[in-house]
């Protein structure tokens, strides 16, 4: 039997003894930079660690919970130890169970700390992309210095953040980028980067790996150089990005190809995925177009709800036979997956922090952890240190030059607003999939200036999209 993190989350959420244990074991050890629960799990798999008196006292009970879970799922002791041998998995599971202890099971699930922080480490960029959410190009005069970046990484680690994805701009435009990435990696944080790929030669690919960066996402927005280069604003960008992908794949780095779909490349989606498979990447990710930054063009460039439904349905069907993982950032993708699984009884599901085969009770978790995760499962940090719910949702939640990350995450009004689906408006408020999907809050804000409005990109909101296109106006969001 395959055992995964969703099995364990499902089991722990129903185990009373676990909730009592976790509250006691949430203490953060400044010396080891770990919580007690992480240290106990490390000890369980046989790794060296110093257990304090409390850890030693509660270890037998934690072991009992683990063994009980093992028996329930038919897993072997070796499988359980293998599962907990990953420090990142220990940290991720610690985040989930601490959140359940603090908040209980909530729909959607609230977290004590985000799984992922997307950090635009610089606004400097060597391309001029039409759809750039941050309108990048020239480095900001107010860009965070390295010492402050290091301090913030320490804050994120202490808060329990599992992963940081460095983006931009183009992160490789920042001269101290590798020092920053290496420091984050040493803090037991899963480090990823999103890049245009044009600067990644063999030497840079090697430096990426040595810095501890585990995942590289490179954008390819067309099956041909013409489509991509037009989109990216620089001739030759496609060829250099492809070379960047090839160099990362050769280094053995988990590499993903990302594509933002608009009307300009809508008809190339099949060929783009064919190309991704040929290049040997592990994942293809379709980015949901968001009208923000330089991407605030009219409906003429955005997909219609029918076109988006077709693309997402195609991606899901293609994912069943493809040799690579295929996901989409559109929350409607989870709804399409669930509809298919409900018809067949099982299948592959794309959750906000996990993708894999699900069936039975595990499918029920979709209403807790799936859908738009802006301000709930992840957040963003700008080059200047401003925290926002998502890179595509430019509403300031706090300023890391003035506030601690944990305080912003817990107390920000906009983040708190995004953690409930009770305030949704229009069709999103009454949709039976509002907990599985919930609509893209960034698209709602981009088109209406209101994060609680319906997502006009959904097939169930066709009328709303038609009205927007009739006006051919995108309202400016309230600052």
């Amino acid at each position: 039997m395959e055992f995964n993190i969703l099995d364990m989350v499902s089991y722990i959420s129903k185990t009373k003894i676990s909730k009592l244990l976790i509250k006691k074991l949430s203490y953060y050890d400044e010396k080891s930079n770990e919580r007690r629960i992480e240290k106990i799990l490390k000890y369980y798999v046989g790794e060296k660690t110093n257990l304090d008196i409390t850890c030693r006292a509660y270890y037998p009970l934690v072991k009992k919970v683990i063994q009980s879970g093992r028996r329930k799922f038919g897993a072997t002791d070796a499988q359980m130890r293998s599962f907990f041998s990953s420090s990142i998995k220990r940290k991720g599971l610690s985040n989930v169970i601490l959140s359940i202890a603090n908040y209980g099971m909530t729909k959607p699930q609230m977290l004590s700390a985000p799984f992922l922080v997307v950090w635009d480490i610089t606004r400097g960029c060597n391309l001029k992309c039409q759809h750039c959410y941050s309108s990048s190009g020239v480095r900001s005069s107010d860009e965070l210095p390295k010492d402050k970046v290091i301090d913030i990484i320490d804050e994120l680690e202490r808060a329990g953040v599992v992963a940081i994805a460095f983006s931009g701009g183009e992160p490789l435009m920042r001269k101290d980028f590798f020092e920053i990435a290496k420091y984050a990696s040493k803090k037991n944080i899963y480090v990823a980067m999103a890049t245009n790929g044009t600067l990644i030669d063999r030497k840079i690919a090697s430096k990426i790996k040595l810095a501890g960066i585990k995942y590289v996402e490179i954008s390819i927005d067309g099956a041909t150089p013409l489509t991509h280069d037009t989109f990216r604003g620089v001739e030759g960008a496609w060829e250099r990005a492809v070379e960047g992908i090839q160099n990362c794949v050769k280094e053995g780095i988990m590499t993903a190809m990302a594509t933002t779909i608009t009307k300009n490349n809508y008809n190339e989606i099949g060929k783009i995925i064919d190309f991704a498979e040929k290049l040997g990447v592990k994942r293809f990710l379709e980015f949901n177009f968001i009208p923000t930054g330089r991407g605030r063009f009219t409906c003429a460039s955005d997909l219609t709800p029918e076109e988006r439904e077709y693309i997402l349905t195609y991606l899901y069907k293609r994912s069943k036979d493809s040799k690579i993982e295929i996901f989409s950032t559109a929350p409607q993708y989870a709804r399409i997956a669930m509809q298919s699984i409900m018809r067949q009884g099982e299948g592959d599901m794309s959750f906000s922090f996990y993708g894999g085969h699900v069936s039975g009770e595990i499918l029920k978790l979709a209403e807790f952890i799936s859908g738009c995760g802006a301000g709930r499962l992840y957040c963003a940090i700008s080059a200047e240190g401003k925290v926002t719910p998502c890179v595509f949702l430019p509403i300031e939640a706090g300023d890391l030059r003035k506030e601690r990350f944990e305080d912003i995450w817990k107390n920000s009004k906009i983040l708190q607003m995004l953690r409930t689906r009770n305030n949704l408006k229009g069709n999103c408020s009454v949709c039976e999939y509002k907990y599985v999907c919930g609509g893209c809050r960034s698209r709602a804000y981009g088109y209406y200036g209101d994060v609680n409005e319906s997502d006009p990109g959904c097939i169930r909101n066709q009328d709303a999209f038609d009205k927007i296109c009739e006006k051919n106006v995108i309202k400016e969001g309230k600052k």
Side-chain angles (χ1 to χ4, degrees), residues 136-317:
S136 291
V138 180
R139 289 183 65 177
S140 168
S141 60
D142 197 28
E143 187 173 283
L144 291 173
K146 189 180 77 170
D147 59 346
K148 183 60 179 176
V149 170
I150 296 301
D151 288 344
I152 293 173
I153 290 174
D154 288 341
E155 288 187 35
L156 299 181
E157 194 278 332
R158 182 187 176 99
V161 171
V162 179
I164 297 175
F166 290 110
S167 186
E170 169 52 52
L172 292 174
M173 295 286 285
R174 182 159 174 153
K175 293 181 180 180
D176 55 7
F177 170 69
F178 288 113
E179 296 175 60
I180 291 169
K182 189 173 184 178
Y183 182 82
S185 180
K186 287 184 176 181
K187 299 294 287 187
N188 192 30
I189 293 174
Y190 186 91
V191 180
M193 68 179 293
T195 167
N196 61 44
T198 61
L199 302 176
I200 304 178
D201 56 19
R202 288 302 301 274
K203 183 178 179 180
I204 293 297
S206 178
K207 290 181 72 174
I208 289 172
K209 187 174 184 178
L210 289 173
I213 297 171
K214 301 294 194 299
Y215 176 93
V216 177
E217 187 177 278
I218 298 176
S219 299
I220 295 289
D221 290 308
T224 65
L226 178 61
T227 305
H228 179 86
D229 292 357
T230 300
F231 213 46
R232 295 281 161 177
V234 174
E235 187 176 350
W238 186 87
E239 182 177 350
R240 289 155 59 195
V242 170
E243 290 177 359
I245 290 175
Q246 293 171 327
N247 289 329
C248 287
V249 170
K250 288 176 183 176
E251 283 292 332
I253 303 167
M254 183 174 179
T255 308
M257 178 189 288
T259 302
T260 300
I261 299 295
T262 67
K263 278 187 164 55
N264 299 321
N265 57 4
Y266 170 79
N267 293 319
E268 297 182 28
I269 183 64
K271 292 181 179 179
I272 293 173
I273 297 177
D274 289 342
F275 190 46
E277 292 174 338
K278 181 180 178 181
L279 288 175
V281 301
K282 299 293 185 182
R283 175 179 294 175
F284 173 80
L285 183 63
E286 183 265 337
F287 266 89
N288 199 21
F289 167 72
I290 312 292
T292 189
R294 279 203 295 266
R296 295 188 70 82
F297 13 98
T298 66
C299 294
S301 296
D302 196 1
L303 298 180
T304 66
E306 288 183 350
E307 290 169 335
R308 180 169 282 100
E309 189 78 1
Y310 169 80
I311 286 290
L312 296 179
T313 301
Y314 172 80
L315 291 175
Y316 186 71
K317 290 180 179 178

Side-chain angles (χ1 to χ4, degrees), residues 85 423 474:
S85 65
N423 300 321
I474 301 176

Side-chain angles (χ1 to χ4, degrees), residues 280-434:
V281 301
K282 299 293 185 182
R283 175 179 294 175
F284 173 80
L285 183 63
E286 183 265 337
F287 266 89
N288 199 21
F289 167 72
I290 312 292
T292 189
R294 279 203 295 266
R296 295 188 70 82
F297 13 98
T298 66
C299 294
S301 296
D302 196 1
L303 298 180
T304 66
E306 288 183 350
E307 290 169 335
R308 180 169 282 100
E309 189 78 1
Y310 169 80
I311 286 290
L312 296 179
T313 301
Y314 172 80
L315 291 175
Y316 186 71
K317 290 180 179 178
R318 181 75 184 258
S319 71
K320 294 183 177 181
D321 302 317
S322 179
K323 60 184 179 181
I324 64 175
E325 297 176 345
I326 297 177
F327 295 120
S328 171
T329 62
Q332 291 84 6
Y333 191 61
R335 184 256 301 164
I336 287 173
M338 175 166 269
Q339 288 173 327
S340 175
I341 294 170
M342 290 175 70
R343 288 193 298 269
Q344 300 177 18
E346 60 179 348
D348 292 325
M349 186 75 183
S350 174
F351 293 96
S352 298
F353 69 99
Y354 174 87
H357 195 77
V358 297
S359 62
E361 289 187 355
I362 305 303
L363 182 60
K364 298 176 183 178
L365 284 178
E367 292 195 333
F368 296 89
I369 60 179
S370 194
C372 180
R376 182 175 62 90
L377 301 178
Y378 55 81
C379 67
I381 299 175
S382 73
E384 298 79 22
K386 304 296 176 61
V387 176
T388 61
C390 172
V391 292
F392 300 107
L393 187 48
I395 302 176
E396 185 178 323
D399 186 344
L400 290 171
R401 292 180 187 268
K402 303 174 182 178
E403 306 165 81
R404 293 171 62 251
F405 178 80
E406 284 188 79
D407 293 334
I408 295 172
W409 181 255
K410 292 178 181 178
N411 302 322
S412 164
K413 291 183 179 180
I414 182 61
L415 298 184
Q416 290 175 351
M417 182 188 298
L418 290 165
R419 292 167 189 166
T420 176
R421 302 277 161 84
N422 295 331
N423 300 321
L424 297 182
K425 302 176 182 178
N427 286 340
C428 284
S429 69
V430 295
C431 179
E432 64 267 38
Y433 295 101
K434 76 174 182 177

